Amino acid sequence: MEIKDVLDTKLMILDIKSQSKKEVVKELIKPLVKEGIVKNQDSFFETIMHRETLSTTGIGMGIAIPHGKSDMVTRPSIVFGKSKEGVDYEALDGEPSYIFFLIAVPEGSDNEHLKVLSQLSRKLMHEETRTKLMQATSEEEVIRVFD
């Protein structure tokens, strides 16, 4: 599974309005519910927030990659979100997060999401990638960053 295999223009929020970690997670889950990928918003939210108690997924450099495995998820998906203001996501470097990738995978699936997580992390280490994502004005531009 590649990043571009699970990126979908219907699962992108180019202007996140939320101001807190919990609000961002809720906002990122909404497109998954709308598209029928997540069956229960509250249950999946709890899954993500439980994962956050283990260690923050705010990896630094302005990036957060919340993720969760749940029987509420029907197929592996990634929601891309971007905040112009930045959000205190309790990132490892103490800086605000601007770029979000919420990874949702079904409970019974193998660890394919870890491969995607690894690919994302490697790609996002490059300042050029982060800059292109911040400058993207359309969903198609976001997808092109990963081509």
Side-chain angles (χ1 to χ4, degrees), residues 55-116:
S55 68
T56 184
T57 57
I59 62 172
M61 297 177 297
I63 302 160
I65 310 178
H67 51 279
K69 201 182 241 196
S70 169
D71 58 0
M72 292 294 119
V73 178
T74 60
R75 64 180 164 89
S77 301
I78 294 178
V79 178
F80 169 78
K82 178 172 70 167
S83 168
K84 292 179 178 97
E85 319 290 309
V87 176
D88 178 3
Y89 203 85
E90 302 165 9
L92 296 173
D93 62 2
E95 295 297 318
S97 296
Y98 297 89
I99 298 168
F100 302 88
F101 288 91
L102 184 143
I103 302 174
V105 291
E107 183 66 56
S109 62
D110 56 17
N111 288 327
E112 279 291 298
H113 70 290
L114 296 177
K115 192 157 77 170
V116 172

Side-chain angles (χ1 to χ4, degrees), residues 42-53:
D42 295 336
S43 176
F44 190 59
F45 173 76
E46 292 303 321
T47 297
I48 296 291
M49 295 316 294
H50 174 71
R51 168 62 189 81
E52 290 294 326
T53 65

